[in-house]
Amino acid sequence: MGNPGARKIAATDAITAARTRRWVVIAGAAIGWALFTLIILHSVSGRNPVTDTLSSYAHSERGSGMLEASLLSLAVGAVAVLGALRATGMRLGLTTHILFGATALGLTLAAFFPATLDSGGDVASGVVHQYASLIAFLCLPGIGMSLRERVELDQSRILLNRICVVYAGGLFLFGLSYITRDIPPLEWINALVPVGFAQRITFGTGFALLGALTLAASRSAKTIS
């Protein structure tokens, strides 16, 4: 006969590990699909990934709807990452929950409200898209910063710190190139650091951050089990 208390703890740990794995699978599938869709979109759209922003891909003749699908999938991935971290038993603060929620909401709104091109389009939709994207871009590194000191993420702390640093650098370059592209005296900045290239550094690092958190949750599930 075993210790009833020990058996109860073992059963609870097994349930926690199984629940965490389910969220990890959902997160991994959603993030992976979002990345795969973006790769396919870049290969078929015919646009220049160095000079064209991701928002402009919504107006491509080929790959219609793929950008929206990718953004929605990434939004699902962000929510699933939050679910995976919570499933491990990690106590997350209100700030972290708000940042995850704002990221998912920003990505969702950016998907449903396409950007406005210079040639015309729904101006209101373009404004919503711009600010929704800004919210998502700003909240993603905030998630990493809010989790840096968590004891449960000790094994991933160095990786998270590096990703946040790269993200911050990419976001700064993207903002600088985006703002200066229509200012004639400062157009050389955009020529030096094209807006599309800077944006992809930022967006790619966002994928890396969510992926790193998914991996951390997966490791936690293995430790629990």
Side-chain angles (χ1 to χ4, degrees), residues 186 193 225:
L186 299 177
V193 184
S225 59

Side-chain angles (χ1 to χ4, degrees), residues 13-14 16-29 31 80-90 152-153 155-156 159 209-225:
D13 288 346
T16 299
R19 185 182 299 117
T20 303
R21 289 194 190 96
R22 284 196 293 271
W23 279 113
V24 166
V25 170
I26 295 172
I31 295 170
V81 171
L82 174 61
L85 293 174
R86 285 174 53 88
T88 65
M90 189 183 304
E152 299 90 338
L153 298 176
Q155 293 182 332
S156 305
L159 177 60
L209 175 61
L210 292 177
L213 292 175
T214 303
L215 180 61
S218 178
R219 287 175 176 172
S220 180
K222 291 179 180 178
T223 302
I224 295 172
S225 59

Side-chain angles (χ1 to χ4, degrees), residues 38-59:
L38 273 184
I39 292 174
I40 297 300
L41 176 60
H42 277 74
S43 66
V44 302
S45 69
R47 290 188 173 272
N48 189 331
V50 175
T51 59
D52 292 334
T53 62
L54 284 168
S55 300
S56 67
Y57 281 64
H59 301 276

Side-chain angles (χ1 to χ4, degrees), residues 30 68-83 95-113 131-141 143 167 203 210:
E68 292 84 347
S70 179
L71 293 176
L72 288 174
S73 185
L74 190 60
V76 171
V79 173
V81 171
L82 174 61
T95 300
T96 302
H97 282 85
I98 291 175
L99 289 170
F100 268 108
T103 297
L105 178 61
L107 290 169
T108 302
L109 289 176
F112 282 109
F113 294 89
Y131 284 102
S133 299
L134 180 63
I135 290 172
F137 274 133
L138 291 178
C139 289
L140 266 174
I143 291 172
Y167 194 109
F203 207 49
L210 292 177

